[in-house]
Amino acid sequence: MESRRPEAVGPLPVVLTIAGSDPSAGAGLQADLLTLASLGVHGCTAVTALTVQDSVNVRGYTPVDPQDTVAQARAVLEDMSVQVIKIGMLGSAAMVAAVSALLADHSQIPVVLDPVLAAGGGMALAGDGLREALVTRLLPRVTVMTPNGPEALALSGTGDLPAAGVWLNRHGAEWALISGGHGEEPELENLLFRGEVLRRTFRQARLPHSYHGSGCTLAAALAAGLAHGLTMEEAVARALDFTHACLVHAYPLGKGQYFPDRFFWARRHREGPDGRR
Ligand code: PLP
């Protein structure tokens, strides 16, 4: 069958993700690439760490030399017009320092920071001094950060999420979206802060499973929306909706967490009669 090219739409927007590799392809840069591709964005990668993990937990990781990570990023940035930089697992204070220096040379590019401190199974993905380095060196350069509740509390040292959001703004993050997936309530609340004020609360129904790479999906989807030119509030709303849909269609592959389906919209053949599997 002859394949026809679709109408010319111009080049895709480009997002550079600076993140760790996950061999199970549920989280990390693999999650980012799937999410970005699903949302019509070309994803480029600068690898920060090689994790060894499955759907249950992380068994270990080897950090990449920060100069090699930055060299990967510079190769992309010198070649292409990058609309948004998305940052995931950095792992060490030395990596934060190297990435901060890189960002200083590209001050016009918006930055989405998903502050990865631990894997879904609980193992730490953070070396000594990572928290302090994130707060003092990276936060002032962040357009929007996307911690989950425990990460927001750990980073800020505050006792509740409203105080954590204010604290993150005060320490430099222009916008802070604290996702609510880690609580227990049947309806979860995602809190969006700007200027030390809670701007909006996005409510969603809690889903039954634990998911591998949900935070990565949310942050990458947010980066995609910004790369397409959406306003922050619109990009947040759409990223939350997209992530929720990926989780509704998530599937078990291994012995642990479910895997979000970032291409749920392309899988009509797997649907059951009720539109779900
Ligand atoms: N990045 C990497 C490389 C990881 O291994 C993980 C978790 O295992 C994460 C990010 C965070 O995953 P989540 O989106 O589930 O918080």
Side-chain angles (χ1 to χ4, degrees), residues 210-235:
S210 169
Y211 304 94
H212 193 60
S214 52
C216 306
T217 307
L218 176 63
L222 178 50
L226 296 175
H228 279 296
L230 300 181
T231 65
M232 184 61 72
E233 293 200 26
E234 186 61 29

Side-chain angles (χ1 to χ4, degrees), residues 190-210:
N190 304 286
L191 309 175
L192 181 64
F193 297 84
R194 188 191 192 188
E196 301 182 31
V197 171
L198 175 61
R199 293 293 171 110
R200 274 183 74 176
T201 301
F202 300 84
R203 295 190 170 82
Q204 292 176 312
R206 182 174 303 285
L207 295 168
H209 304 292
S210 169

Side-chain angles (χ1 to χ4, degrees), residues 20-22 27-28 51 53 58 89 114 116 118-120 125 148 211-216:
S21 167
D22 169 7
T51 73
Q53 65 179 300
V58 176
M89 174 185 174
D114 180 21
V116 177
L125 292 171
N148 59 38
Y211 304 94
H212 193 60
S214 52
C216 306

